[in-house]
Amino acid sequence: MSQPPEPETGPQPPSEPSVRGLTPEAEALYRALLLGGRAPGVGAVDGADPAGGSARLLGELERLGLLARDADGALRVRPPRLALERWAAERELEAVRARQSADDLSRLYTVHTGAGAQFAEVLEGEEAVVGTFEAMQAEAREQIRGFERGSYLRPEEVGPNPAQLPSMERGVAYHVVYDAAFLQTEVGLHSLQEAVRAGENARAFPGVPMKLVIADSSRALISVPPRSGHGVMALLVHPSMLLDAIIELFEAFWRLAVPVGAVPGRAGVPVGSEPSPDTQRLLALLSAGSTDEAIARDLGVSQRTVHRRVSRLQELLGARTRFQLGVQAARRGWL
């Protein structure tokens, strides 16, 4: 740290003020007066009436309470702490008032425009919605949670979205609950397969209520198709009681949903062992919410055969319902 200037040479004004509330020139003058020297163009503090720019600087110091006139009208140096702390307190009060004004004006703006609120804002159009969706994934540090019902904008799109893989490579965990009806479609099933192969944790549940993504626990995006059937709209939810409720809703569905994985192929498991490839495929289709008719068509068997195989698996795993069958199979690592 550099030493203070010697009194006889006078101070050198700093490039920026080290004491907030003072201009660099006024602070340099005050430092010089404290050191007992002469300020540029000014006599001693008790001296004659200064003129020009120095008079302006002395007026600034007097206004801030760093200088005061005694009974004889002479300027005297005053302690800086009390004066500058008072100045800082006034600025803090101004900041509080500014924030209050911002809140009040935001409420008026919301009433006037009908769009947005303190805890949520409405996004309209593909650019705004997709841009926010991708930004949330790019900025996530720990996890992405969501409900998946298929893309409103690109219904035929298969696999993880473009921002997902880079996020997963950074260590962001993905937990997604798929709507069972979506997994009954070819696009949905293939999307599940690709996402799980990439490392996504996926579960399935019938009747997922919305298309949702939650980034860490800081923001949530709820996407909805517009009534006209074109484009997309979304609600971006910021930290609030609403966001807390959305997170709790996701966690409730996650606990109820059945773990699913990529539908396996027909190789890699010895004949006669369980789970066989056919058993794994049957369980994956059941967990995805496929109907018996769809399962029979996929496996190339009759619906009666599907019923028989399901009953045998329920007996084998001690499950009374198909939902319990999925849970027991997942616990055993069969899915």
Side-chain angles (χ1 to χ4, degrees), residues 203 255 257-260 283 287 317-319 323-335:
R203 296 188 178 188
R255 289 191 295 269
V258 176
V260 295
L283 289 170
S287 299
L317 298 181
F323 180 79
Q324 291 178 350
L325 174 61
V327 172
Q328 293 296 339
R331 287 176 177 173
R332 291 171 177 261
W334 287 17
L335 282 170

Side-chain angles (χ1 to χ4, degrees), residues 1-24:
M1 179 178 292
S2 60
Q3 297 297 319
E6 296 296 331
E8 55 271 17
T9 61
Q12 296 298 318
S15 58
E16 293 185 1
S18 58
V19 180
R20 299 304 176 186
L22 286 172
T23 62

Side-chain angles (χ1 to χ4, degrees), residues 28-308:
L29 176 57
Y30 183 73
R31 288 176 181 271
L33 296 173
L34 288 177
L35 292 169
R38 292 176 179 270
V42 181
V45 178
D46 297 331
D49 185 26
S54 296
R56 175 181 58 81
L57 297 178
L58 289 172
E60 180 180 341
L61 295 175
E62 188 176 1
R63 174 178 55 82
L64 289 172
L66 295 173
L67 294 179
R69 295 186 183 274
D70 60 17
D72 299 330
L75 288 172
R76 302 290 183 184
V77 176
R78 301 289 297 167
R81 182 176 298 278
L82 181 60
L84 292 180
E85 285 184 350
R86 182 175 64 247
W87 178 89
E90 291 173 352
R91 303 291 83 74
E92 290 173 357
L93 181 59
E94 289 178 0
V96 170
R97 289 171 178 167
R99 294 188 185 96
Q100 291 175 344
S101 295
D103 291 340
D104 292 340
L105 292 175
S106 295
R107 282 191 288 269
L108 289 176
Y109 176 82
T110 299
V111 172
H112 175 71
T113 61
Q118 291 180 332
F119 54 83
E121 55 185 297
V122 177
L123 306 179
E124 297 188 55
E126 178 177 351
E127 182 177 356
V129 174
V130 174
T132 301
F133 176 56
E134 293 179 349
M136 289 172 64
Q137 296 177 83
E139 295 167 5
R141 292 295 175 264
E142 296 180 0
Q143 64 176 338
I144 292 290
R145 291 171 283 184
F147 293 148
E148 183 57 79
R149 302 179 64 183
S151 173
Y152 295 140
L153 293 170
R154 304 176 184 86
E156 301 304 317
E157 188 175 64
V158 174
N161 65 79
Q164 181 170 347
L165 293 180
S167 295
M168 295 176 72
E169 290 173 358
R170 290 188 293 106
V172 177
Y174 275 69
H175 295 79
V176 182
V177 178
Y178 286 79
D179 185 53
F182 175 55
L183 294 182
Q184 291 180 24
T185 67
E186 183 176 353
V187 170
L189 191 57
H190 288 172
S191 294
L192 171 70
Q193 291 176 313
E194 295 298 325
V196 171
R197 289 193 185 103
E200 178 182 283
N201 296 304
R203 296 188 178 188
F205 192 84
V208 169
M210 66 188 77
K211 186 173 175 65
L212 167 71
V213 59
I214 305 170
D216 294 330
S217 294
S218 60
R219 288 187 294 174
L221 187 69
I222 302 173
S223 301
V224 294
R227 294 179 179 179
S228 62
H230 301 285
V232 68
M233 296 177 62
L235 183 68
L236 180 61
V237 183
H238 300 290
S240 59
M241 293 181 65
L242 176 59
L243 178 60
D244 294 341
I246 291 173
I247 293 174
E248 290 180 6
L249 176 67
F250 172 84
E251 293 299 334
F253 271 82
W254 181 259
R255 289 191 295 269
L256 292 172
V258 176
V260 295
V263 178
R266 295 179 177 274
V269 178
V271 177
S273 65
E274 286 291 0
S276 66
D278 281 345
T279 295
Q280 286 184 296
R281 190 171 184 84
L282 171 61
L283 289 170
L285 292 170
L286 283 172
S287 299
S290 298
T291 63
D292 287 356
E293 181 181 0
I295 295 173
R297 185 168 57 251
D298 185 276
L299 297 178
V301 298
S302 66
Q303 291 188 51
R304 179 175 297 180
T305 299
V306 172
H307 286 303
R308 186 172 64 252

